[in-house]
Amino acid sequence: MSSPPQSPSKAPQIIQKITAILTSTTTSDPFKSLSQFNPHLNPPIILSILSSKTLSCRPNTLLSFYKYTLSHTPHLSPHTQISFLLTLLPSLFSHNKFSDAKTLLIKHIASDTHHLLHFTLLHPDDKALPRPTKALLDTAVGAYVHCGYPVLARQVFDRMTKLKFRPNLLTCNTLLCCFVNKSDNEDSILVCKRIVNDAIRLGVSLTTSTFNILINGYCLRNKFSEAMELLRSMGEYNCLPDSITFNTLLDALCKKNRLSEARDLLTDMKNRGLLPSRNTYNILVRGYCKMGWLTDAAKVIELMSLNGVPPDLWTYNTLIDGLCSEGRIDEGLRLRVEMGAFKLMPDVVTYNTLINGCLQWKRREEALKLIEEMKEKGIKKNAVTHNIIIKWHCKEKMMDAVGDVILEMDADGFGPDPVTYNTLINGYCKAGNLGEALKLMTKMREKGLKMDTFSINTVLHALCMDQKLSEAYELLTSAKGQGYTVDEVSYGTLIVGYSRDDKVDVALNLWDEMKSKDIRPSLVTYNSIIGGLCKSGKTEQAINKLNELFEDGLFPDETTYNTIINGYCGEGNVEKAFRFHNRMVENCFKPDMYTSNILLQGLCREGMLEKALRLFNTWISKEKQLDAVTYNTLITALCKAGRIDDALALITEMGEKKLGPDKYTYNAILSALTDAERMEEAQDLVSKMIAMDKLSEGSPPLDKEQDVTCKTQQESDLSSVAYSEHINELCSKGNYKDAIQTFGELSHRGITLDKSTYISLISGLLKGEISNVASR
């Protein structure tokens, strides 16, 4: 409903009367008195009042009038609404009502779907409206950030810089935070640099908070050298790092297992006179626990107490988690008692960690005692507790008992959540029961619990373990097409699968696809692709991947190094293998027994027997731990060289150390004795070998009852195959509805289908073709 037009003579009178009512000191409810003018309120009159010099010193009155007009003049055009807002804001800014102004801007931006306000701020062509001021643009930047429009906020900021308006430091920091947290976008850090440079050019004095935001941005992207350089340059801007600066860097370094750098940084922190806070110590405790350096973690807790910073519940829970991960359950249980010295009581997190540790390390009775102890102390189980118990049942393949746990979970007020379903799907996949996994995935959809990345990855893993690589790839592609998020684990699972299947070229294509989507590989994925390349005789290409690994801020482990050493040895480049080994030792790599065996096998394979013997004797003199593989490698090489007596001497030594001999040892020496025509010794050895294999001489024949059972099973198998082929045919034609209905009927009759059938049905479910399962 539009307002009636006003004659030019009446409009000033109406404006004057409305202004008088709004400025009256005797009217208790001025807006009630304004109702008589509602039919006459039109945009020109409203704009005149909002821009009134008489009312400009009454920002609260103008703000109330603005809200009143919006509610009493419906169907205003977007342009008119913007005119009202921009006319009101100068009065608010002149009276420091920035909070009210920002609230109005946020509310308007939320409904401004075509971003007309943004266009008006950048291109203020309407001469009737106030020109954009520093206060308006500055506040608008924060409002656009608040509404989730960082790009629009940055464009308004750029408009400020072109007008040479100096932005507030808070505005700069707000905008920086917004782009820093877009960690999936590499260009965002470049945007941050430009924002800072523009701010400096306009005379904004940076503070430590600004640098902390930027340092966090570099850390989120694993650009540690740039972050450290920024730390060193803070003094040039009269800024000093604070505990937040160091904690940000320490946390990022510890998360990437770069603990030696973290230690150096902690020393730098102390040298600058900054005392570590509880948060600092907790970061170190978590870092050490993650690496399994539990002694160092315990020392940090001792240091906390000495420096008057007592550990808190989080500290103890972190250390207990680290101990449980390493199987040191008794120490974890002892810590829950020692917490009392600091007046700390174990909470549900403490108990969940210990219960999970006990179940993981097969100490079921102690886990049950902890559950009872929780009940006695009035600590209620939460969803995590129940999911831990369900996970244990799945791990032990006790799928029949899972139903009781879920009933208990419901009774405690925790319905199955996505974690529960994912755990069960994983359990059924590992148990080879893809049919139940399919039913659970359908239940998730029915309950509105969208299958997440974990669900997809669980099924991908099951397919790859069954060497159904083409089906896994199809699932990966269809999942992306259906809007599911696929991550590094999704790609990594297939890369591992193809690498194990000697299809390294396909794995490399997947690798390139993953990298093109800015999905960062994990260490496991790196190790897999490096292993595939080395296995294919492309060790130098594997070295390139090792360099990429470092660039991604990751740190190689023993598997990485051993794989490359093995790759060089497999290609006959033993010297390169040793050079790489020595260089990595200089970089803190600690060779293990597997490393030693790789090098020894490399020397023996290339006929460098004397070097192999010298290396072996060096290990013996240094009391290095050796195993049966070490001895068998050298014994086999000696036998091939015809040095049977030396080989027999090693067999004796092997026996004294209780490392064998085993079948491999006997086979090597038997072949050598036969070639040397030492038949009497060979015959004696054969007798020993027969005695060793006496338990594997064959199995007794089936009796009649077993034979009947076998026939019945064969008939059942033939029926299963026929039904499986029928369902697969329906799926191939896209008739998923009929396929799932048939599946439900067969489930009722107890007929088991083959895995390929379940895979077809799951693929249909993920494509959104199957809405429900016929059977319940």
Side-chain angles (χ1 to χ4, degrees), residues 636-687:
T636 303
L638 287 167
C639 287
K640 285 182 179 178
R643 296 170 60 173
I644 299 174
D645 293 329
D646 291 335
L648 288 168
L650 274 182
I651 290 173
T652 303
E653 185 180 315
M654 191 180 184
E656 291 170 355
K657 293 185 176 180
K658 296 182 180 179
L659 296 174
D662 56 21
K663 289 182 183 179
Y664 299 103
T665 324
Y666 282 123
N667 286 336
I669 200 70
L670 177 63
S671 178
L673 288 169
T674 306
D675 290 342
E677 298 185 357
R678 293 165 65 167
M679 305 310 295
E680 189 175 334
E681 293 172 85
Q683 188 175 354
D684 183 48
L685 188 62
V686 169
S687 300

Side-chain angles (χ1 to χ4, degrees), residues 680-751:
E680 189 175 334
E681 293 172 85
Q683 188 175 354
D684 183 48
L685 188 62
V686 169
S687 300
K688 289 182 180 178
M689 290 175 68
I690 292 172
M692 190 175 76
D693 287 339
K694 64 185 177 182
L695 295 177
S696 59
E697 293 174 353
S699 301
L702 290 169
D703 59 26
K704 289 183 180 179
E705 186 179 344
Q706 287 173 317
D707 191 41
V708 171
T709 304
C710 185
K711 285 182 181 178
T712 307
Q713 183 63 45
Q714 286 173 347
E715 291 170 3
S716 175
D717 289 345
L718 289 172
S719 175
S720 173
V721 169
Y723 284 121
S724 293
E725 288 177 355
H726 175 61
I727 291 176
N728 281 329
E729 185 179 355
L730 288 171
C731 289
S732 67
K733 293 178 180 178
N735 296 333
Y736 289 105
K737 187 175 180 180
D738 294 339
I740 202 67
Q741 187 173 354
T742 306
F743 165 75
E745 292 169 359
L746 295 175
S747 294
H748 277 305
R749 291 163 58 185
I751 294 176

Side-chain angles (χ1 to χ4, degrees), residues 36-314:
Q36 60 183 304
F37 297 103
N38 286 353
H40 307 286
L41 287 176
N42 60 24
I45 287 177
I46 294 169
L47 282 170
S48 295
I49 293 170
L50 288 173
S51 59
S52 165
K53 289 184 179 179
T54 306
L55 293 169
S56 63
C57 60
R58 297 170 178 263
N60 290 336
T61 303
L62 280 177
L63 180 58
S64 298
F65 177 74
Y66 168 81
K67 293 177 180 177
Y68 177 85
T69 55
L70 289 183
S71 61
H72 288 83
T73 52
H75 311 301
L76 292 171
S77 70
H79 180 75
T80 302
Q81 291 180 47
I82 291 170
S83 299
F84 288 178
L85 177 63
L86 294 180
T87 303
L88 166 69
L89 289 176
S91 174
L92 298 181
F93 289 132
S94 64
H95 290 83
N96 296 321
K97 291 191 169 292
F98 292 99
S99 178
D100 290 326
K102 185 176 179 180
T103 300
L104 291 177
L105 283 167
I106 288 170
K107 188 174 181 180
H108 183 89
I109 290 167
S111 61
D112 185 12
T113 54
H114 296 289
H115 305 306
L116 295 177
L117 174 62
H118 179 260
F119 182 83
T120 304
L121 293 174
L122 298 189
H123 309 284
D125 296 329
D126 191 341
K127 294 181 180 178
L129 292 175
R131 304 299 291 173
T133 62
K134 171 187 177 302
L136 171 61
L137 296 176
D138 211 56
T139 309
V141 170
Y144 276 109
V145 168
H146 181 92
C147 293
Y149 297 117
V151 175
L152 301 185
R154 180 195 159 203
Q155 289 170 351
V156 175
F157 182 86
D158 289 344
R159 174 70 178 160
M160 287 186 71
T161 60
K162 285 178 184 176
L163 293 171
K164 293 186 169 45
F165 289 151
R166 182 190 297 173
N168 289 331
L169 177 65
L170 179 61
T171 305
C172 296
N173 288 349
T174 301
L175 193 55
L176 286 173
C177 279
C178 181
F179 279 98
V180 156
N181 291 326
K182 287 170 66 67
S183 56
D184 58 331
N185 188 343
E186 286 293 326
D187 292 336
S188 60
I189 199 71
L190 298 176
V191 173
C192 290
K193 283 183 178 180
R194 287 196 288 270
I195 291 169
V196 170
N197 290 336
D198 286 339
I200 292 170
R201 181 169 50 81
L202 292 169
V204 177
S205 297
L206 304 184
T207 64
T208 299
S209 295
T210 314
F211 282 96
N212 288 346
I213 295 166
L214 288 171
I215 286 170
N216 184 44
Y218 281 123
C219 288
L220 287 172
R221 292 157 183 80
N222 300 323
K223 295 180 180 293
F224 297 112
S225 56
E226 288 91 338
M228 295 300 293
E229 182 59 36
L230 205 57
L231 171 67
R232 288 188 286 269
S233 67
M234 287 177 70
E236 298 172 18
Y237 300 91
N238 297 319
C239 294
L240 293 174
D242 58 12
S243 59
I244 295 173
T245 319
F246 281 98
N247 286 347
T248 301
L249 279 160
L250 284 168
D251 187 44
L253 290 169
C254 287
K255 282 178 179 175
K256 291 299 177 181
N257 302 333
R258 300 172 71 151
L259 296 184
S260 59
E261 293 168 81
R263 281 172 173 166
D264 293 340
L265 193 65
L266 185 63
T267 303
D268 184 19
M269 182 181 183
K270 291 177 179 177
N271 291 340
R272 291 172 184 260
L274 287 171
L275 294 175
S277 64
R278 180 181 284 108
N279 189 32
T280 314
Y281 288 118
N282 282 344
I283 287 167
L284 291 171
V285 170
R286 182 176 61 193
Y288 286 134
C289 287
K290 185 182 174 186
M291 285 290 286
W293 298 1
L294 301 176
T295 304
D296 295 275
K299 285 179 181 176
V300 172
I301 293 178
E302 290 177 14
L303 195 62
M304 290 176 76
S305 302
L306 290 172
N307 289 338
V309 185
D312 58 8
L313 189 58
W314 192 95

